[in-house]
Amino acid sequence: MRIAWKIFGISLIVFLVMATAATYSIYKIFEINKELQLISQVFSPLRHEVAQIEVIALKEELELERVEKLEAELRADRLEALNSGATDTEIDAAISEHPDIEARINHLEARLKAGLNLFETHANTVESLLRSAERRVRSAQDTASSLTDKLELAALYPTLIAIETQHSSFHSHALNLVKSADLPPATRENLEEQLESEEQKLTERLDSLRQHVSAFTDQSIATAALHEQQALYASIAATASAGALALLLSTLVISGILKPMRALSSGAKRVEDGDFDVRLQPLSRDEIGALTQSFNTMVDGLRSTQKIKDTFGQYLDPRVVTGLISDQSDASAGEKKVVTAYFSDLADFTTISEQFTPGGLVRVLNRYLDLMSTEITDRQGVIDKYIGDAIMAYWAQPFSNDGDQATLAVESALSNVQLMLQFQKELPELTGLQKNLPVLRQRIGLATGDAVIGSIGSEKTKNYTIMGDTVNLGARLESANKIYGTQILVCQRTRDTVSAIEFRAVDKIQVKGKTEPTSVYTPLARSDEMTEDLSKLQTASEEALRAFSQARWSEAQQAFEEILGTFPNDQIATVFLNRLELISAQGAPADWDGVWHLNTK
């Protein structure tokens, strides 16, 4: 699964949790709204109407009492005016004869009539309010969606009907009592008791209705509060659940990403350190898994490239192989650079090798070349080629710095001369010969200067090498060691750019193929290893060569003889004494310039 889908999945789950909570909250809000509508449209108006009914019913009762008092007063006044037992006609006739009594009675009758009218008005108002409450309850019953609400409203309706019936009965009894003024006292008292009973029942039913409405209102308010609390808890729970889910799922996804990324980072570090056996197991099917597969493919390619480098590194210097494989311009295009060329050879090895078996010869050469090449490559040198026992190498950018290449080359040469002692000791084991072993001597020539470096050859076969006078000079100096009996010869530029190594001046020569002469030197020792005898030899050689180049033959001869006297095996001094003997016998050239011309390679 792609990482984007994982992130989308987390977002979708969180969204669904929040959407579920939101849906539940909306549902609860609708429930709250229903309860509030029930309160505002039914219970609250009903409470108001019940309160009005109670007040008006009370007024109705008070008005009834007032009417009864007025009737009693009127009856008393009429009896006061005439003797008891008179008929109504007689009472009316007698009252007409007394204007003041007539006026009082008329006033009482008017008040009685007004009271009755007000009593009827209150009764009608109560009836109207009860019918309005009934209609309200029936309408709410029809529209209510909750069974609980329907049951609550259904419980109110019979109460309203009962109140209406009770009020009608009370009203009827009250009118009968008022209109039956001539009833006997016992009968009237009985009617008054019944009326009080009806009044008490009406009051109780109104109280019961008011309590029911209050209870239902409180219950609706409590239900609305419960729904609100549930919605709040649902929102809190959804927020907490969504946060926890997001954190958990994000942690899982991030862990699923980081684990293979750490493996990739660790694998890349191992590859950087040269371990191409790394193989990572894809832990997912997302982009990280694809990246892991690509990493494995890349490592396979690097492994193949490394195998090529390792294989061809045995034939070419690995740094050259790297440059050629990576198609660097410095490794393929011809370019003029300062180089130090290195040529070495084993003296008379062709003749010596005839003593060895083919297997022994190969072992000797392989061991010799391995020892010599290691010192060169360890000091940033590049092996150009092997020609039998001959080694051609060089130091140049980008493989070594210009300021260090000559020193590195001479250091390699000195180390290789020392290694020849070890190599000589290994010959019995390498050749299988226990006696008559030849003594192997190495000749090394070093030259520093400009040369062309690059890939040379045909379209099918190329050789990465160096060319130019500097290269030829190095080869000639290697050969010139035969003349002076030296093992290492370097040119003037090499000697001038080397540090921490002391040299002995050997000669000023012009090799075959070059028109410019060059002074040649042989290293004596590293600067910290110079002895007093070597310092004297260094100074004496310079003085002897100076006298020789200035044609001061007797001084030169004396100087070389002194060197030979101090160093009996010094072959350089012997060479010059032979030359002085030849000059003495045949004479020096007329254009003598102190340069000895070498006509052979």
Side-chain angles (χ1 to χ4, degrees), residues 339-472:
V339 304
T340 295
Y342 177 107
F343 287 87
S344 70
D345 199 3
L346 288 175
D348 301 323
F349 187 73
T350 301
T351 303
I352 294 172
S353 63
E354 294 177 355
Q355 304 176 36
F356 306 145
T357 63
L361 177 61
V362 171
R363 287 193 296 272
V364 169
L365 277 177
N366 285 341
R367 178 56 177 163
Y368 166 75
L369 295 175
D370 182 55
L371 286 172
M372 301 300 110
S373 299
T374 299
E375 292 297 322
I376 294 172
T377 55
D378 285 352
R379 289 180 173 82
Q380 303 176 22
V382 177
I383 303 296
D384 185 283
K385 61 176 66 71
Y386 301 115
I387 307 172
D389 60 301
I391 300 174
M392 176 182 173
Y394 60 86
W395 281 257
Q397 287 187 324
F399 311 114
S400 61
N401 296 326
D402 282 344
D404 299 332
Q405 56 183 237
T407 301
L408 293 170
V410 176
E411 287 280 359
S412 298
L414 289 172
S415 295
N416 280 340
V417 169
Q418 291 296 319
L419 282 174
M420 286 301 296
L421 300 176
Q422 174 186 336
F423 179 64
Q424 186 69 38
K425 295 178 181 180
E426 296 178 8
L427 282 180
E429 182 179 353
L430 295 171
T431 61
L433 299 176
Q434 300 301 321
K435 59 182 179 178
N436 299 323
L437 287 171
V439 177
L440 299 179
R441 283 178 52 83
Q442 185 184 46
R443 297 192 297 262
I444 300 173
L446 299 173
T448 302
D450 294 335
V452 175
I453 181 171
S455 295
I456 307 299
S458 65
E459 290 296 327
K460 295 183 178 181
T461 305
K462 292 183 181 296
N463 182 30
Y464 190 81
T465 187
I466 55 175
M467 299 171 294
D469 288 344
T470 301
V471 181
N472 294 331

Side-chain angles (χ1 to χ4, degrees), residues 286-562:
D286 53 16
E287 291 87 346
I288 305 299
L291 181 61
T292 303
Q293 291 285 11
S294 299
F295 175 84
N296 289 333
T297 302
M298 178 196 72
V299 173
D300 290 340
L302 290 174
R303 189 183 301 114
S304 298
T305 302
Q306 185 62 34
K307 186 176 180 180
I308 293 172
K309 289 171 62 177
D310 291 343
T311 301
F312 284 94
Q314 298 175 0
Y315 298 90
L316 291 174
D317 188 280
R319 290 166 293 173
V320 176
V321 176
T322 300
L324 292 172
I325 290 176
S326 61
D327 196 25
Q328 296 179 4
S329 59
D330 285 348
S332 58
E335 189 175 355
K336 189 175 183 180
K337 296 183 179 181
V338 175
V339 304
T340 295
Y342 177 107
F343 287 87
S344 70
D345 199 3
L346 288 175
D348 301 323
F349 187 73
T350 301
T351 303
I352 294 172
S353 63
E354 294 177 355
Q355 304 176 36
F356 306 145
T357 63
L361 177 61
V362 171
R363 287 193 296 272
V364 169
L365 277 177
N366 285 341
R367 178 56 177 163
Y368 166 75
L369 295 175
D370 182 55
L371 286 172
M372 301 300 110
S373 299
T374 299
E375 292 297 322
I376 294 172
T377 55
D378 285 352
R379 289 180 173 82
Q380 303 176 22
V382 177
I383 303 296
D384 185 283
K385 61 176 66 71
Y386 301 115
I387 307 172
D389 60 301
I391 300 174
M392 176 182 173
Y394 60 86
W395 281 257
Q397 287 187 324
F399 311 114
S400 61
N401 296 326
D402 282 344
D404 299 332
Q405 56 183 237
T407 301
L408 293 170
V410 176
E411 287 280 359
S412 298
L414 289 172
S415 295
N416 280 340
V417 169
Q418 291 296 319
L419 282 174
M420 286 301 296
L421 300 176
Q422 174 186 336
F423 179 64
Q424 186 69 38
K425 295 178 181 180
E426 296 178 8
L427 282 180
E429 182 179 353
L430 295 171
T431 61
L433 299 176
Q434 300 301 321
K435 59 182 179 178
N436 299 323
L437 287 171
V439 177
L440 299 179
R441 283 178 52 83
Q442 185 184 46
R443 297 192 297 262
I444 300 173
L446 299 173
T448 302
D450 294 335
V452 175
I453 181 171
S455 295
I456 307 299
S458 65
E459 290 296 327
K460 295 183 178 181
T461 305
K462 292 183 181 296
N463 182 30
Y464 190 81
T465 187
I466 55 175
M467 299 171 294
D469 288 344
T470 301
V471 181
N472 294 331
L473 178 58
R476 299 295 181 267
L477 292 180
E478 181 273 318
S479 180
N481 281 289
K482 302 175 186 178
I483 299 173
Y484 302 102
T486 54
Q487 289 186 276
I488 303 173
L489 281 180
V490 304
C491 69
Q492 176 77 45
R493 188 167 179 179
T494 300
R495 183 255 191 188
D496 291 343
T497 53
V498 168
S499 60
I501 296 176
E502 299 294 332
F503 291 86
R504 174 187 178 182
V506 176
D507 199 358
K508 189 174 185 179
I509 62 174
Q510 181 179 332
V511 300
K512 187 175 182 180
K514 284 185 65 69
T515 59
E516 294 296 327
T518 181
S519 296
V520 293
Y521 302 85
T522 186
L524 287 174
R526 295 174 177 84
S527 298
D528 57 354
E529 296 176 354
M530 283 290 288
T531 63
E532 184 178 353
D533 288 342
L534 291 177
S535 297
K536 290 179 179 180
L537 177 61
Q538 185 183 47
T539 303
S541 295
E542 290 176 356
E543 294 175 353
L545 282 176
R546 190 179 302 111
F548 182 80
S549 64
Q550 294 175 0
R552 293 184 279 118
W553 311 121
S554 59
E555 293 180 19
Q557 183 169 353
Q558 182 180 355
F560 283 117
E561 287 176 350
E562 289 179 357

Side-chain angles (χ1 to χ4, degrees), residues 106-128:
N106 288 337
H107 177 68
L108 290 173
E109 287 178 346
R111 288 181 62 190
L112 178 61
K113 184 177 181 180
L116 287 172
N117 289 335
L118 186 58
F119 176 76
E120 287 295 330
T121 300
H122 289 329
N124 292 334
T125 301
V126 169
E127 293 292 333
S128 176

Side-chain angles (χ1 to χ4, degrees), residues 52-69:
Q52 283 184 306
I53 289 171
E54 287 183 320
V55 171
I56 294 172
L58 180 61
K59 288 181 179 180
E60 186 179 6
E61 292 172 3
L62 291 173
E63 199 61 40
L64 177 62
E65 291 178 1
R66 188 179 293 113
V67 167
E68 288 180 343
K69 288 180 180 180

Side-chain angles (χ1 to χ4, degrees), residues 253-304:
V253 171
I254 292 172
S255 176
I257 293 174
L258 289 180
K259 185 176 180 180
M261 287 300 292
R262 291 192 186 101
L264 281 170
S265 177
S266 176
K269 179 63 176 174
R270 289 174 61 185
V271 170
E272 183 181 352
D273 293 338
D275 182 4
F276 297 105
D277 293 327
V278 179
R279 188 76 183 178
L280 300 181
Q281 183 66 34
L283 300 177
S284 61
R285 296 182 180 179
D286 53 16
E287 291 87 346
I288 305 299
L291 181 61
T292 303
Q293 291 285 11
S294 299
F295 175 84
N296 289 333
T297 302
M298 178 196 72
V299 173
D300 290 340
L302 290 174
R303 189 183 301 114
S304 298

